[in-house]
Amino acid sequence: MIFFIVLGAGFYNSFLALSQVPQELSNWVVGHGFAPMTVLAMILLFYLVFGCLMDSLSMILLVIPFFWPVLVEVNGGLYQMADGAGFGMSTEDLKIWFGILALIVVELGLITPPVGMNFMVRKTLASAFKAGTPPAIDAGKNFTVSRPRLKACWTSLGVIVPGYTGTP
């Protein structure tokens, strides 16, 4: 099943390369002069919302072809070094940094109530163990259980994002 998702993503990437949609999107963003952190905040918000609705592998494979050219152009181009870059880092560092950020936000979306997919799995498993009774796990209890994880994820984002952008 995962192989078919990766195969479909390969065909999808080929279509996007031929249609030039990601390049046009990046030209549009650069043309409007959005600040790099504004673009990053919009991308991470998109990942957070879609993390509640989709599984992580499908979502990452679906939207990275759109977001990566935008981030590269906002940073200053494909061969940009750290000096003068929009995010204050080279393109090689940007790959690693954005990969970590995207992973954190996607997983944060998976545990975010009320639609987080991990909560749906937990609720289904609880009902399977109590055959014939309604599930005893509601959204309030799910949020109470996930509150420490949510705080840890938000704290890590607060440490990672300003640390690489040069802001104190």
Side-chain angles (χ1 to χ4, degrees), residues 76-163:
L78 186 59
Y79 301 107
Q80 180 68 38
M81 298 309 288
D83 298 333
F87 289 106
M89 66 185 84
S90 67
T91 305
E92 295 298 317
D93 292 338
L94 182 66
K95 290 177 187 177
I96 296 168
W97 181 66
F98 180 68
I100 293 170
L101 279 178
L103 182 66
I104 289 172
V105 174
V106 166
E107 297 301 323
L108 183 64
L110 286 174
I111 63 170
T112 301
V115 192
M117 283 187 55
N118 285 355
F119 286 147
M120 299 300 173
V121 170
R122 186 170 174 234
K123 195 171 189 176
T124 304
L125 287 175
S127 65
F129 287 121
K130 297 179 182 183
T133 62
I137 300 174
D138 60 347
K141 189 171 183 180
N142 277 333
F143 186 68
T144 303
V145 169
S146 69
R147 191 176 300 147
R149 292 178 188 96
L150 290 171
K151 286 181 183 178
C153 287
W154 283 114
T155 304
S156 65
L157 282 176
V159 170
I160 291 172
V161 173

Side-chain angles (χ1 to χ4, degrees), residues 36-115:
M37 291 308 287
T38 304
V39 173
L40 182 68
M42 289 188 296
I43 289 172
L44 293 181
L45 183 65
F46 179 86
Y47 271 133
L48 184 65
V49 170
F50 270 75
C52 292
L53 306 172
M54 296 176 68
D55 66 308
S56 55
L57 177 67
S58 301
M59 182 181 48
I60 288 174
L61 291 176
L62 193 65
V63 298
I64 283 291
F66 285 104
F67 290 155
W68 181 245
V70 171
L71 286 173
V72 168
E73 287 301 316
V74 169
N75 194 43
L78 186 59
Y79 301 107
Q80 180 68 38
M81 298 309 288
D83 298 333
F87 289 106
M89 66 185 84
S90 67
T91 305
E92 295 298 317
D93 292 338
L94 182 66
K95 290 177 187 177
I96 296 168
W97 181 66
F98 180 68
I100 293 170
L101 279 178
L103 182 66
I104 289 172
V105 174
V106 166
E107 297 301 323
L108 183 64
L110 286 174
I111 63 170
T112 301
V115 192

Side-chain angles (χ1 to χ4, degrees), residues 16 19-31 66 69-70:
L16 290 177
S19 67
Q20 298 289 315
V21 172
Q23 287 79 12
E24 292 298 322
L25 178 65
S26 64
N27 291 338
W28 182 81
V29 169
V30 170
F66 285 104
V70 171

